[in-house]
Amino acid sequence: MTDYSEEQRNELEALESIYPDSFTVLSEKPTTFTITVTSEAGENGETVQTTLKFTYREQYPDEAPLYEIVSQENLDDNDVTDIIKLLEQQAEENLGMVMIFTLVSAVQEKLNEIVDQIKTRREEEKKQKEREAEEEEKQRFHGTPVTIENFLNWKAKFDAELLELKRKKMKEEEQAGKNKLSGKQLFEMDHNLDTSDIQFLEEGNSVEVDESLFQEMDDLELEDEEDDPDYTPVNLDSD
C-alpha cells in the first residue's frame, strides 16, 4: 500500500532544498505551498516571473495536485493561459510520480521562451514602424494615385464648396443692396444737404464754369409757353 504522506514529505524536503529562496509553505493540512519561477534575463535585462501555488490532494502523486498562478510579472493573458495548459499537460503525463519539480521546470523553460518571444516581438514592432515610416514618406512624395472613384469624390466636394461660395456672395450682394440709401433717404437723414451748396458759396469758395457747355444755347429754339397750343395757364387764385 502506497504511503502518500511519506512521499509528499520527502518531496517537500527536496523542493525546499532546490528552491531555498522561492519556496514557501502556506499550510500543512492540506499541504499548500508556493514556488516563484523567474526566467533568465534577456539581452536588455528583461525578465518574466510567475508564482505558482500547489496543493497536495490526499492520494498525490496518484492524482494530480491542485495548481494555480497567484501572481505574475510582464506576462500577458495569452502567456498565462499557455502556462496553465502546460501544467495540465505535464500533470497528466506524470501521474503516479512526484511531479512538482517537473512542473516547475516546464514552466521555467516556458518563461525563457517568452523572454525570447518578447525580443522577437520588439524586433518585429521596430521593423513594422520602419515600414510604416517608409510608406508614409512615399505617400508624401508621390501623393495618392488618382482613380475614377476618388476623382468623383473630389469633384463632388469641390462643386459643393463652389456652390456654397456663390450663395454667400449672392447673399452679401443682396444685403449690400438693401443697405444702400436713395437720395431721398439721404436728405431725410441729413437736412443740411439741401443748403450745403449755398453754404459752400457763402464761405467764399469759387466755382469754375465751363462756358463751352453753354455756347450752343443761342442756337436752341425755345418756344414761349404762350405760343404752345397745348398750354393752359394755371389760376393760382382758385381754391
Side-chain angles (χ1 to χ4, degrees):
M1 182 176 178
T2 303
D3 187 349
Y4 296 113
S5 297
E6 182 67 22
E7 289 195 42
Q8 293 172 13
R9 281 195 300 271
N10 291 338
E11 184 179 42
L12 283 175
E13 291 177 1
L15 292 173
E16 188 173 7
S17 176
I18 296 170
Y19 306 108
D21 299 325
S22 59
F23 176 82
T24 303
V25 176
L26 301 180
S27 66
E28 295 182 356
K29 292 184 180 180
T31 302
T32 303
F33 55 91
T34 61
I35 299 176
T36 299
V37 187
T38 305
S39 71
E40 296 177 357
E43 287 187 356
N44 297 323
E46 67 273 14
T47 61
V48 293
Q49 179 177 289
T50 183
T51 298
L52 306 174
K53 178 182 176 181
F54 297 99
T55 300
Y56 285 152
R57 290 180 176 177
E58 185 176 350
Q59 295 184 2
Y60 172 84
D62 285 342
E63 56 182 351
L66 300 176
Y67 48 81
E68 63 178 297
I69 295 176
V70 294
S71 66
Q72 57 87 13
E73 292 182 8
N74 302 325
L75 295 175
D76 58 31
D77 293 341
N78 290 333
D79 294 330
V80 172
T81 300
D82 290 343
I83 292 172
I84 292 296
K85 289 180 179 179
L86 176 63
L87 289 170
E88 181 180 354
Q89 175 187 351
Q90 290 295 318
E92 184 176 351
E93 291 178 359
N94 289 277
L95 282 177
M97 299 179 291
V98 290
M99 64 181 76
I100 302 300
F101 176 77
T102 301
L103 298 183
V104 173
S105 297
V107 172
Q108 177 79 58
E109 292 180 5
K110 181 64 178 177
L111 295 183
N112 292 338
E113 291 177 7
I114 292 173
V115 170
D116 292 337
Q117 290 171 2
I118 290 175
K119 174 185 175 183
T120 302
R121 283 199 298 263
R122 287 177 177 173
E123 291 176 350
E124 286 297 324
E125 290 174 358
K126 181 180 179 181
K127 291 179 181 179
Q128 180 64 24
K129 288 181 180 179
E130 291 175 351
R131 287 193 293 266
E132 291 175 356
E134 290 177 1
E135 187 64 26
E136 184 178 349
E137 192 70 16
K138 289 180 181 179
Q139 290 292 336
R140 184 181 303 173
F141 283 101
H142 299 289
T144 303
V146 177
T147 64
I148 295 177
E149 181 180 1
N150 60 30
F151 172 77
L152 293 177
N153 290 335
W154 171 85
K155 181 73 166 51
K157 183 178 179 180
F158 176 80
D159 290 343
E161 292 177 352
L162 185 61
L163 179 60
E164 183 64 23
L165 289 175
K166 289 181 178 179
R167 287 176 178 172
K168 288 182 178 180
K169 184 176 181 181
M170 291 176 62
K171 187 174 181 180
E172 291 174 356
E173 291 177 349
E174 181 181 355
Q175 189 66 30
K178 290 181 179 180
N179 294 335
K180 187 175 181 180
L181 299 177
S182 65
K184 181 179 178 181
Q185 291 173 322
L186 288 172
F187 276 108
E188 289 176 349
M189 292 178 61
D190 188 356
H191 296 290
N192 293 326
L193 291 176
D194 56 352
T195 61
S196 60
D197 292 343
I198 297 174
Q199 292 176 354
F200 178 79
L201 295 174
E202 288 178 349
E203 291 173 357
N205 297 303
S206 60
V207 178
E208 295 183 1
V209 178
D210 187 355
E211 295 180 358
S212 64
L213 297 175
F214 302 95
Q215 288 178 357
E216 306 298 328
M217 290 291 293
D218 294 338
D219 297 333
L220 295 177
E221 295 181 0
L222 300 177
E223 294 182 354
D224 193 347
E225 292 179 349
E226 294 181 356
D227 295 334
D228 186 356
D230 297 326
Y231 173 68
T232 303
V234 178
N235 187 0
L236 297 176
D237 296 332
S238 60
D239 293 332

